[in-house]
Amino acid sequence: MDFDQFPRTNLCHQPTPIEAMPRLSTFLGGPSLFIKRDDCTGLAMGGNKTRKLEFLVGEAMRENADMLVTQGAVQSNHVRQTAAAACKVGMKCHVLLERRVPDRDASYEETGNVLLDNLFGASQEFRPAGLDMNAEAEVVTQKLRDEGHRPYFIPGGGSNPTGALGYASCAQEIADHAAQTGQVFDWLVMGTGSTGTQAGLVAGFHALGHDLPVMGVSVRQPRERQMNAVHALTQKTLEKLGASGVPLSKILVDDGYVGEGYGIPAKSTLEAIKLLARQEGILLDPVYSAKGMAGLIGMVREGFFKPSDKVLFLHTGGASALFAYQAQLATLI
């Protein structure tokens, strides 16, 4: 894949490490487990959105933007990384935060990622739950444009074909690792939300002819809705790459670990956080990566994988949100 044809700016530490998780593998008595450390991408405590922002901010710079505008839930990892990226390239940042997670106390809007958004100087607007947040942000973007700014709009999660290029590039990175080391994986498991990460990986592996199934563990949407959303963005990303499309059957989603809803840790979410901390010294976040890991743990226990399989988990970062969930985490400790 030729990524040089797209505008891009250097924001990301890459390639990110792939590490074995021998203690967790032994504890679960399952296949060999590995982790791709995209919590170590370097920008503002890291995370998967940094890969997407390389292409999104590159495009914004080509368009001579002076401001990035985006949206997300209150404790959005994407918003944090976007605010930091704006600082790195000398732009302003304006964000819309959706009060998507119910029954949170006042500190939820002051700590964790919100604290870091403020440290990076992002201006904020809050919205109630349930709105079309991309539409809300586009209205604000036009208002800023009318006021004389040069804003560049980034959809939630950086999940459009431009942002998904970041994970098509990551697919290339994983395929190169396999070719260089002989370490070939049988499955990749990850949390899937706004769709850009899973769509980018599926598109990248398909364009390369690298046969690695990507199982997305939904953090919010029912299985069929998430599959259709991932598939739609995969097709658009492949079109951008000049590659052929994929059938819907290539999109794999497990929605059994959502719990009560987005941003609400289930019992399995909290168990995953504790197990990774105690077995491997790795911090997961309570919104995305821990639900993805809960799915992986559940699949191991159910015998989904063969004992000989090598399973790679994509750590999408976000541990800074842990500080906004102290009450739930206290039950673990």
Side-chain angles (χ1 to χ4, degrees):
M1 292 180 288
D2 177 19
F3 294 103
D4 291 339
Q5 63 182 304
F6 307 108
R8 187 176 188 178
T9 189
N10 182 20
L11 300 173
C12 183
H13 296 175
Q14 52 193 319
T16 55
I18 291 176
E19 301 173 359
M21 295 190 287
R23 282 175 44 79
L24 182 65
S25 302
T26 300
F27 181 87
L28 294 174
S32 298
L33 302 178
F34 299 81
I35 188 166
K36 175 76 168 164
R37 296 296 302 271
D38 271 20
D39 58 322
C40 299
T41 51
L43 180 70
M45 299 182 71
N48 62 322
K49 311 305 182 186
T50 300
R51 290 188 187 269
K52 301 179 184 182
L53 287 163
E54 287 205 326
F55 291 93
L56 291 160
V57 176
E59 191 170 86
M61 293 171 70
R62 184 183 65 180
E63 295 180 7
N64 198 31
D66 64 358
M67 176 183 289
L68 302 178
V69 180
T70 196
Q71 61 87 6
V74 168
Q75 284 293 330
S76 169
N77 299 312
H78 163 69
V79 166
R80 162 179 48 87
Q81 289 164 85
T82 302
C87 292
K88 192 169 179 66
V89 299
M91 293 185 191
K92 295 179 180 178
C93 184
H94 186 75
V95 303
L96 279 70
L97 299 178
E98 180 187 6
R99 292 185 167 114
R100 190 182 302 167
V101 183
D103 303 322
R104 300 286 104 182
D105 60 29
S107 67
Y108 191 76
E109 297 184 1
E110 300 169 354
T111 188
N113 282 319
V114 182
L115 175 66
L116 299 180
D117 299 341
N118 291 328
L119 186 59
F120 293 127
S123 52
Q124 301 167 348
E125 298 179 31
F126 286 88
R127 292 289 189 275
L131 299 177
D132 181 337
M133 288 295 291
N134 280 335
E136 292 284 315
E138 286 182 313
V139 169
V140 170
T141 301
Q142 185 57 52
K143 179 183 175 184
L144 291 165
R145 189 174 291 117
D146 293 342
E147 293 173 356
H149 299 286
R150 300 188 305 278
Y152 176 87
F153 169 65
I154 298 175
S159 291
N160 63 11
T162 299
L165 291 173
Y167 273 88
S169 175
C170 182
Q172 178 82 66
E173 190 174 296
I174 293 168
D176 288 347
H177 171 88
Q180 293 162 10
T181 66
Q183 187 177 55
V184 178
F185 299 102
D186 301 288
W187 286 90
L188 190 154
V189 179
M190 52 163 291
T192 182
S194 63
T195 75
T197 302
Q198 186 175 8
L201 286 167
V202 174
F205 289 134
H206 178 72
L208 290 167
H210 186 81
D211 187 20
L212 177 58
V214 180
M215 174 62 76
V217 180
S218 179
V219 304
R220 184 182 186 189
Q221 303 282 16
R223 177 175 178 271
E224 186 174 346
R225 188 184 303 174
Q226 187 70 14
M227 285 176 62
N228 287 330
V230 173
H231 184 245
L233 183 53
T234 302
Q235 300 290 68
K236 291 176 182 177
T237 306
L238 284 166
E239 183 178 341
K240 195 174 185 74
L241 288 166
S244 62
V246 297
L248 181 61
S249 59
K250 283 282 188 181
I251 310 301
L252 307 175
V253 172
D254 185 335
D255 64 357
Y257 300 87
V258 174
E260 294 181 33
Y262 176 90
I264 305 173
K267 183 178 179 181
S268 60
T269 315
L270 297 172
E271 182 199 21
I273 291 171
K274 184 174 182 178
L275 277 180
L276 263 288
R278 300 288 173 90
Q279 297 297 322
E280 298 291 347
I282 294 172
L283 296 174
L284 300 175
D285 86 290
V287 182
Y288 291 95
S289 59
K291 286 189 176 180
M293 178 55 71
L296 172 56
I297 291 167
M299 283 182 265
V300 171
R301 287 172 171 164
E302 292 163 6
F304 179 87
F305 306 110
K306 294 183 292 189
S308 59
D309 280 347
K310 291 182 172 62
V311 181
L312 180 64
F313 178 75
L314 178 68
H315 190 337
T316 51
S320 50
L322 286 169
F323 300 102
Y325 287 82
Q326 291 186 33
Q328 287 93 334
L329 295 173
T331 66
L332 297 180
I333 299 166

